[in-house]
Every structure is written in C-alpha cells, then in structure tokens.
Amino acid sequence: MTKSARTTPPPDAAARRKAPPVLSYSVEQLPSFDAAFYNRARAELSKVAELTVPPRQAKAFEVPAGHFFRIVSVEGPQVGDLNLWNAHDLTERFYSGKTRALHATHLSTGDRLWSSFPKLRPMATITHDTLDWYGWDEDGAGVHDVIGTRCDPCTNLLLKGTEYHHCCHSNLTRALAVDRKLPLEEAEVHVHDVMNVFMCTGYMRDTHQYFMKASPVRPGDFIEFFAEIDLLVALSACPGGDCGASHSDDTAKCYPLKAEIHRPHEKALAGWQSPAPNKYSRSHGTQ
C-alpha cells in the first residue's frame, strides 16, 4: 500500500527532508531505573498466588503495590495482551501512547508503564525479561510492543464481515466485567490499548504498515513487573497464538499463559513508597 504523491515537490524538498530528528521528550529528569533496589527486592521472593489464563480467554487479578508479577510462557509460544488499572480507580489506567513516547516502541527491563491523565505516574516497572536478548531483528521487529492496539471484534467485522467474540478486546471486557461485577457495556469503556507481551512486531520499511511475526517466546520465558501502585491486571491469551500468521479467528494454535504474584521480603522495601500522582494544577490556563 504505497502512497503516491499528489503534489509537485517544492524546490527545497530535499532540504526539508534533511531536517535532523529531535527526541520528542528529554527524559533525563525522570527518576532513573534503580536496578540495585529492584534486584535486592527480587532476590528473596515468596510466590503468593498464580493463575492460568486459558487460550482465547482473559483473566483479571489484583497485585498489591510493592509486589512483583510475572507473565510466563508455559506450554508453547503465545502472545498476551495486558491491561492495567489502579485497583481503586478504573479511570486511572495504562497509557500506552505516553509510555511509548517516554520510553520506546518496545519495552524491556528498566522501562515503566505509565498511567493516564491526570495522574500520569508509573504503574509498574519491568524488572526482568528473558527475551531481552532479541533486540531488533533484520526486519526491524522487536518484542513486547506498545505500538499495536489489541485485536477487536469491531475491526474484525469491518475487514472480514463476520463477528468473532474471542478477540483480546472482548476477552478483556469479559474478564473485567466478571472481576468487578459490571455490565459488559460498562466494563468495555475501561478496556484500553495494551502492552503486547511476547508479541514480535515492527513497521514495514516500504509502506510503514504495522506487521507481526512469530513470537520468539518459548516455555519458561517470562517478563516480570514490579507493581508501583495497587493494580488490577487483566491478561488475554491472544487468539493469534504466536501471531505468526493470523489473529481474530480460531485457526492459530494457542496456548495458556500463567500469571504469578510474588511478595518480596519486607525489609527489601524499606524506604520505598508508591509514586504520587502528577502535581499539575489542572487549571489549564484559567487561573
């Protein structure tokens, strides 16, 4: 899907294209990733809960602030779609776009998952990633993206003309509705753009279209997060399986995912506290 130019380039077109790139955000003022603190905290963990997310389904679970949670590959290569909320306020939720702008298109150890306006604070920090070796491949793809959204029944109907009810959007909606005892239509408005855990993605070099390829995840791989605030987490085992061929249908081989919650030794958290909400006045220039 190459787009052809409709207008004649101006005489200085080449010069305009040579404008140097500038990072959108200078993030030096953000608190740095304190690897020593997180490594001490994760050195002595007690597993307090675990659950299995069946293929083409989702489950929701709470993670108290100061605990770790892991998403684990257990039977075969499987992608997961992750949503996060403040456990006490569903209006504060994971903001994938701002996370992408502050960190990168694909996340790994040391990156944070930021919350929506007006709180805009770290909800979770990635503390370990067994797929950090992957880096960037020759197609320009990486793992754990925050550039895709989540497969959903509305787009599926638009493109294929059929209804499919086990897209990640629907899975997450059902899981949230069950956990919070909400009507489906009320739960759905809280479902948001995801972190695509284990998913391998990028942009085509010629058309710049979003692409996916088979995930490199294998049984035993995991990604680990530290809950910076009390979290409600929802995880969907994507109907695309490893997303190497298709999604939003029943053709892909799918596997379960496991979620584990671990509590560190209390002394390891001495002096730590949850990040405060953003202190912007919210006056928006009216005062």
Side-chain angles (χ1 to χ4, degrees):
M1 194 175 69
T2 302
K3 295 181 179 179
S4 57
R6 296 185 179 182
T7 57
T8 301
D12 63 344
R16 296 192 200 184
R17 289 194 179 102
K18 288 182 179 179
V22 178
L23 288 175
S24 297
Y25 292 101
S26 297
V27 296
E28 291 79 10
Q29 302 235 9
L30 294 179
S32 60
F33 173 64
D34 189 348
F37 164 74
Y38 292 111
N39 286 336
R40 285 196 304 270
R42 65 187 303 272
E44 190 176 344
L45 297 176
S46 300
K47 184 163 65 174
V48 295
E50 71 175 36
L51 57 91
T52 298
V53 180
R56 298 185 173 87
Q57 297 292 340
K59 286 190 177 180
F61 54 95
E62 291 195 9
V63 182
H67 286 55
F68 293 83
F69 69 97
R70 294 175 178 174
I71 300 172
V72 187
S73 170
V74 287
E75 293 182 15
Q78 175 65 45
V79 164
D81 283 41
L82 183 69
N83 266 188
L84 302 178
W85 298 268
N86 180 330
H88 313 292
D89 177 8
L90 293 182
T91 66
E92 182 179 9
R93 62 194 192 187
F94 172 51
Y95 188 174
S96 66
K98 190 59 68 178
T99 297
R100 178 173 66 246
L102 291 174
H103 294 294
T105 59
H106 297 72
L107 306 181
S108 190
T109 304
D111 293 327
R112 300 177 176 94
L113 279 65
W114 293 78
S115 71
S116 54
F117 299 147
K119 299 293 181 62
L120 190 62
R121 58 177 167 174
M123 304 182 79
T125 299
I126 302 174
T127 51
H128 196 74
D129 174 15
T130 66
L131 292 177
D132 61 3
W133 58 266
Y134 192 88
W136 304 101
D137 64 26
E138 62 184 10
D139 295 312
V143 183
H144 309 309
D145 86 68
V146 283
I147 52 177
T149 53
R150 68 268 187 199
C151 57
D152 71 273
C154 301
T155 303
N156 192 67
L157 180 63
L158 181 69
L159 299 179
K160 298 181 180 178
T162 58
E163 290 202 355
Y164 182 70
H165 304 298
H166 293 280
C167 298
C168 288
H169 178 84
S170 295
N171 298 345
L172 294 167
T173 297
R174 292 194 305 274
L176 181 60
V178 169
D179 185 86
R180 291 301 159 111
K181 298 179 174 55
L182 296 172
L184 279 175
E185 60 272 17
E186 187 174 335
E188 185 177 17
V189 300
H190 295 292
V191 174
H192 50 279
D193 282 352
V194 298
M195 176 180 175
N196 285 306
V197 175
F198 303 142
M199 194 167 181
C200 190
T201 61
Y203 289 108
M204 302 297 290
R205 298 187 190 280
D206 52 354
T207 64
H208 298 277
Q209 291 171 285
Y210 180 61
F211 73 79
M212 61 186 190
K213 58 191 296 184
S215 173
V217 70
R218 296 294 182 268
D221 281 322
F222 67 92
I223 185 169
E224 178 186 273
F225 305 81
F226 179 79
E228 302 285 356
I229 65 173
D230 290 338
L231 292 175
L232 175 63
V233 180
L235 175 65
S236 172
C238 181
D242 70 359
C243 287
S246 68
H247 61 76
S248 301
D249 57 43
D250 289 330
T251 61
K253 178 65 176 175
C254 291
Y255 300 92
L257 290 170
K258 184 170 70 171
E260 300 176 347
I261 303 173
H262 297 260
R263 181 179 61 237
H265 196 283
E266 186 176 351
K267 65 182 180 183
L269 298 183
W272 172 84
Q273 58 184 2
S274 288
N278 190 279
K279 299 186 186 307
Y280 175 61
S281 66
R282 303 185 69 186
S283 61
H284 303 292
T286 61
Q287 296 177 2

